[in-house]
C-alpha cells in the first residue's frame, strides 16, 4: 500500500527529522515582515507533507486585516494554484462573510497546515483524496500560523472547522460544542470564534444545506458583532 500523500512510485524516504521532532521553527526567518515569512515558508521542510505536495500554500489577503480566518489545510485546487480557499469552499465562505457583515477585503485567510495531505484510493484512480492532518503535523506547522497572527495582529480570529480549532485551542476542542461564541485565545482575551468549515456546507445533503449555511452565517455574525 502506498503511504498517505505519495503518488505511486514516489520515493518515500523522509528528508526531515523523526516524527517526534517535526517543527517548522528552524525555517522561520529571524526578522522581517509577512513577506519574509511567506518567502521562508516556501522552503519549509518541517514535516514530510512537503514531499508530495505541489507547493506551500501560505496565507493571503489584507496584511492589516481586522479578521484572520484559519482553515484546516489546502485542498487539491489550493495546492495546484498556491492560494488558500480558491475552490468551491472559498466561494461559500466569501458569500457567508458578506451576509454576516464582514468585509472580505478586511480579512486575511490561512490554514493551520500549509501543505496538502492526501491519499490515493485505487477505485478513485489518480484523484487525490483529502486526509486530515495529524496533531503532530499541526504542531509542526504552528510556528507559521503564530507568525501570521502576530504580524497581521487582528481584532478577531475565526477558526473554520474542528482541525483549525484544535490547532488553536488544543485537542480537547469540539466545534459542535464551542461554535458561535467568543472564546479566549492566549493573551488576546475573548477574540476567537469557531464555526464549521465551509466545505461542510457542501458535503451535507441538499435538504440540510440551507440550515448548515445559515449556521455558518450565524456564527460569523458573532465575529462581526465583536468587531463592532
Amino acid at each position: 500500500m502506498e503511504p498517505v500523500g505519495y503518488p505511486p512510485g514516489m520515493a518515500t524516504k523522509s528528508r526531515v527529522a523523526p516524527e517526534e521532532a517535526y517543527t517548522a521553527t528552524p525555517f522561520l526567518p529571524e526578522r522581517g515582515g509577512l513577506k519574509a515569512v511567506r518567502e521562508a515558508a516556501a522552503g519549509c521542510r518541517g514535516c514530510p507533507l512537503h514531499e508530495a505536495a505541489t507547493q506551500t500554500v501560505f496565507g493571503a489577503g489584507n496584511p492589516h486585516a481586522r479578521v484572520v480566518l484559519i482553515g484546516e489545510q489546502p485542498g487539491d485546487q489550493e495546492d495546484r494554484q498556491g492560494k488558500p480557499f480558491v475552490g468551491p469552499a472559498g466561494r461559500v465562505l466569501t458569500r457567508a462573510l458578506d451576509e454576516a457583515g464582514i468585509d472580505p477585503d478586511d480579512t486575511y485567510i490561512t490554514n493551520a497546515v500549509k501543505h496538502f495531505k492526501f491519499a490515493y484510493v485505487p477505485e478513485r484512480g489518480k484523484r487525490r483524496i483529502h486526509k486530515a492532518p495529524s496533531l503532530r503535523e499541526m504542531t509542526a506547522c504552528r510556528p507559521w500560523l503564530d507568525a501570521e497572527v502576530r504580524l497581521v495582529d487582528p481584532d478577531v480570529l475565526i477558526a473554520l472547522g474542528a482541525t483549525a480549532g484544535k490547532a488553536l485551542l488544543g485537542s480537547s476542542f469540539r466545534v459542535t460544542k464551542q461554535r458561535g461564541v467568543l472564546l479566549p485565545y492566549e493573551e488576546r482575551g475573548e477574540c476567537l470564534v469557531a464555526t464549521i468549515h465551509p466545505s461542510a456546507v457542501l458535503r451535507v445533503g441538499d435538504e440540510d444545506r440551507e440550515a448548515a449555511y445559515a449556521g455558518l452565517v450565524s456564527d460569523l455574525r458573532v465575529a462581526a458583532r465583536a468587531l463592532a
Side-chain angles (χ1 to χ4, degrees):
M1 181 181 293
E2 292 291 338
V4 169
Y6 290 95
M10 176 177 280
T12 60
K13 185 177 180 181
S14 175
R15 296 188 292 274
V16 299
E19 187 169 352
E20 63 270 15
Y22 288 176
T23 179
T25 299
F27 300 92
L28 265 72
E30 294 183 359
R31 61 180 64 86
L34 203 57
K35 182 175 183 292
V37 177
R38 178 181 290 107
E39 291 173 351
C44 184
R45 302 293 182 267
C47 80
L49 292 184
H50 77 276
E51 295 182 355
T54 304
Q55 58 194 312
T56 301
V57 180
F58 203 69
N62 186 340
H64 308 291
R66 296 185 66 199
V67 179
V68 166
L69 299 114
I70 302 108
E72 179 188 273
Q73 65 166 339
D76 181 78
Q77 288 302 311
E78 288 80 7
D79 173 71
R80 298 179 192 278
Q81 297 184 41
K83 298 177 181 179
F85 285 85
V86 293
R91 293 190 287 274
V92 171
L93 179 60
T94 298
R95 182 161 62 96
L97 286 168
D98 185 63
E99 287 190 29
I102 296 175
D103 182 358
D105 292 333
D106 196 18
T107 65
Y108 178 92
I109 190 161
T110 189
N111 284 298
V113 172
K114 310 302 188 203
H115 287 109
F116 181 33
K117 182 177 181 179
F118 60 92
Y120 288 95
V121 179
E123 58 269 23
R124 305 292 287 274
K126 294 184 178 181
R127 184 177 177 183
R128 302 187 300 176
I129 307 302
H130 161 275
K131 296 286 288 185
S134 69
L135 179 59
R136 283 178 173 167
E137 288 158 350
M138 288 188 287
T139 302
C141 216
R142 178 65 184 265
W144 297 120
L145 181 58
D146 286 343
E148 289 175 293
V149 172
R150 174 176 57 83
L151 291 167
V152 177
D153 193 23
D155 295 325
V156 173
L157 295 96
I158 300 175
L160 301 169
T163 298
K166 289 178 180 179
L168 293 165
L169 299 174
S171 59
S172 64
F173 172 82
R174 297 291 182 270
V175 68
T176 53
K177 295 182 178 180
Q178 294 169 273
R179 62 181 292 185
V181 296
L182 279 174
L183 300 169
Y185 181 65
E186 298 182 343
E187 72 281 357
R188 292 175 175 267
E190 292 187 341
C191 67
L192 173 63
V193 177
T195 187
I196 58 173
H197 195 283
S199 64
V201 176
L202 300 172
R203 289 196 301 267
V204 299
D206 292 342
E207 67 279 7
D208 298 320
R209 189 162 298 156
E210 184 177 343
Y213 178 75
L216 171 63
V217 173
S218 177
D219 294 341
L220 293 176
R221 284 180 175 143
V222 175
R225 288 194 293 270
L227 290 172

